[in-house]
Amino acid sequence: MPLDINEDNLKHGVLGLVMALVEVIADALKHQAYRRVESGRLTDLEVERLGEALIELDAAIEEIKEQQGIAESVKAVRDGLDSIVNDVVDRLINPDRWEEEAKEQRI
Amino acid sequence: MNWLYIALALREAGREINEKNMRKVLAAMEVQVNEAELRFFTSAMAILSMPKPDNKADESYSPVEEAQMAQRQWDFEESAAAGRLEDAGREQFSSPVKTPIEEKIESIAPAESPVIQYAGQTGSNDALYIYGIADKGVSARLGPIGLEGSEVYTIPYNSICAVVHDCCAQPYQSDDNEVVKAWVLAHQKVLDAAVERFDAAILPMGFDTIIRGKEEMERKQVVKDWLDQNCEDLIKKLTRIKGKQEFGVQVLWDPKIVAGQITETDDEIRELGEETKEKPRGTAYMNKQKLDKLLKQKMEKMADKRFKEFYARIKGCVDDIVVEKTKKTENGRQMLMNLSCLVEKGRVQGLGEELEGIENMEGFFVRFTGPWPPYSFVTPAKI
């Protein structure tokens, strides 16, 4: 994973990792919220309150990233996670390629 | 330098330049003989007076290698004397490394020249590196244009021949990017040279295709047997690619531009956009999510549509086409399609015009590379 941690910015790195995870969780929350809204089971007021809460969550995350100057680190962590997940999904879809690669590694 | 004089003296006297005679002269001069030096210089002088070996492949132990061995031992003894690690010296001596003849002949005169080594090629010298198969049954030498300056030649069989050079039974590997780049360029140059020299179609082999000699069979025979077994198949492929070149075609788009286009033209999205403007903050936020998802769906449909459209248009301009996996790009653009096209030389311009048409569409970009040897249109037979 493209995480660049050294003694100077260890705090930087840990914070970056933490915020990346917070973003991922926030995404999951938004996804759930969206599904609730679409299901039509919420009242208008509830939809409004949900939306506002998410807006504030987004703002808070952005503010922290800006203050700590970790926007780059967070992006790097998320890109790394993306490529790992891509790989796994790719191998699930193409079990043959998985087998080939496993063989290669054993050799 | 005294060695040179001794050699000249022997020459003048009409005597052969060998160890025995050298010793006699030294003895006469009452000079102490340094064994390693003596061996090294005798073989060095021997090479200089010899004609250039014709077919390197036939000599298993050329005087050059003898000179190398001798020099290495000399280095070994020197370093031992200088107090450096004896282990290093011994290791260098026990595993002979292959180096190009031409380079060695020039560097042999100055005795201090270091032994040239490159990563990866140690071990038995009984394999052939194959660049490709040409559809002319000639036996020729293309000179020292191969990887690491190796002498490239051909092994003919009926109406085809394999373009090869001698190597060790190990793939060319290195951690140094520059080195690998140089090798790949050399591989490409050899193929180009072969096409020019023989005016033939050439079936390229991937980088690092090496055939090893088997137990009882000499490596050339292995290659000939393989050519024999696959003759028909190879000739068929050669006729298929004769007079054609491979080009890489990649179509990319800028998702922002395309998204903008869709937002303006698509009714569903526009309506939703209008609605959202009127709603209060929170609801608007949720609506925007819906909008984003819808937009993504439409983009994917558009990508699909364009892919099919472009594919049909390009297919009409080329002789054969292979769809490759799309790669990730960095400058905010997405790769829509990655194709390898086999085009007859005369039709290349038509393809170029078609691609220009695509490039002119807003938000789309084309990357056109080539000509390459037709790597993608050759499925290698199992060796």
Side-chain angles (χ1 to χ4, degrees), chain A residues 30-31 33-34 37-38 47-48 51-52 54-56 58 97, chain B residues 279-287 289-291 293 325 328:
Chain A
K30 286 182 213 170
H31 198 75
Y34 178 73
V37 170
E38 286 296 298
V47 171
E48 177 62 28
E52 286 189 344
L54 288 174
I55 293 179
E56 284 179 21
D58 273 350
R97 213 186 299 167
Chain B
K279 298 283 178 77
R281 244 181 28 137
T283 325
Y285 183 88
M286 299 312 299
N287 260 24
Q289 267 202 312
K290 184 164 175 191
L291 207 69
K293 281 207 200 268
K325 195 162 160 217
K328 219 169 176 267

Side-chain angles (χ1 to χ4, degrees), chain B residues 165-178:
Chain B
H165 83 243
D166 300 328
C167 69
C168 302
Q170 265 192 2
Y172 282 81
Q173 282 167 339
S174 167
D175 285 326
D176 185 351
N177 267 344
E178 293 298 313

Side-chain angles (χ1 to χ4, degrees), chain A residues 7 18 26-27 31 41-42 45 48 57 63 65 80 87 90 101:
Chain A
E7 277 142 26
V18 169
D27 277 350
H31 198 75
R41 280 177 297 171
L42 299 176
L45 185 58
E48 177 62 28
L57 177 58
E63 203 183 307
K65 288 204 296 196
D87 267 351
D90 198 38
E101 287 182 15

Side-chain angles (χ1 to χ4, degrees), chain B residues 364-378:
Chain B
F364 288 94
F365 308 92
V366 176
R367 238 197 252 164
F368 190 32
T369 54
W372 305 108
Y375 288 106
S376 312
F377 296 92
V378 173

Side-chain angles (χ1 to χ4, degrees), chain A:
Chain A
M1 274 215 296
L3 249 190
D4 192 15
I5 309 182
N6 58 42
E7 277 142 26
D8 295 331
N9 59 9
L10 185 59
K11 172 174 149 195
H12 214 85
V14 172
L15 224 69
L17 186 55
V18 169
M19 284 320 285
L21 290 174
V22 167
E23 278 192 354
V24 172
I25 295 174
D27 277 350
L29 279 174
K30 286 182 213 170
H31 198 75
Q32 271 306 306
Y34 178 73
R35 285 178 66 189
R36 294 274 173 92
V37 170
E38 286 296 298
S39 73
R41 280 177 297 171
L42 299 176
T43 65
D44 282 347
L45 185 58
E46 283 170 339
V47 171
E48 177 62 28
R49 291 225 296 252
L50 196 48
E52 286 189 344
L54 288 174
I55 293 179
E56 284 179 21
L57 177 58
D58 273 350
I61 294 181
E62 284 307 310
E63 203 183 307
I64 295 179
K65 288 204 296 196
E66 225 183 276
Q67 277 180 354
Q68 299 296 326
I70 52 174
E72 289 285 319
S73 300
V74 172
K75 183 168 189 305
V77 173
R78 297 203 69 183
D79 284 343
L81 281 171
D82 278 348
S83 76
I84 291 180
V85 171
N86 256 344
D87 267 351
V88 173
V89 171
D90 198 38
R91 278 174 214 176
L92 285 174
I93 302 179
N94 298 319
D96 310 315
R97 213 186 299 167
W98 197 3
E99 210 184 296
E100 264 176 46
E101 287 182 15
K103 274 195 208 148
E104 272 171 42
Q105 281 177 3
R106 254 177 259 146
I107 297 175

Side-chain angles (χ1 to χ4, degrees), chain B residues 89-151:
Chain B
R90 222 173 294 129
E91 198 184 332
Q92 223 189 356
F93 179 66
S94 59
S95 56
V97 170
K98 202 173 82 63
T99 50
I101 281 191
E102 325 291 321
E103 242 178 300
K104 224 16 183 166
I105 287 189
E106 287 168 70
S107 64
I108 255 179
E112 286 78 35
S113 65
V115 172
I116 303 159
Q117 268 186 325
Y118 54 80
Q121 279 266 314
T122 53
S124 56
N125 179 16
D126 67 346
L128 286 166
Y129 180 102
I130 306 196
Y131 294 88
I133 314 289
D135 71 348
K136 281 231 164 82
V138 295
S139 168
R141 309 179 63 79
L142 288 141
I145 53 177
L147 272 67
E148 299 293 328
S150 330
E151 177 80 17

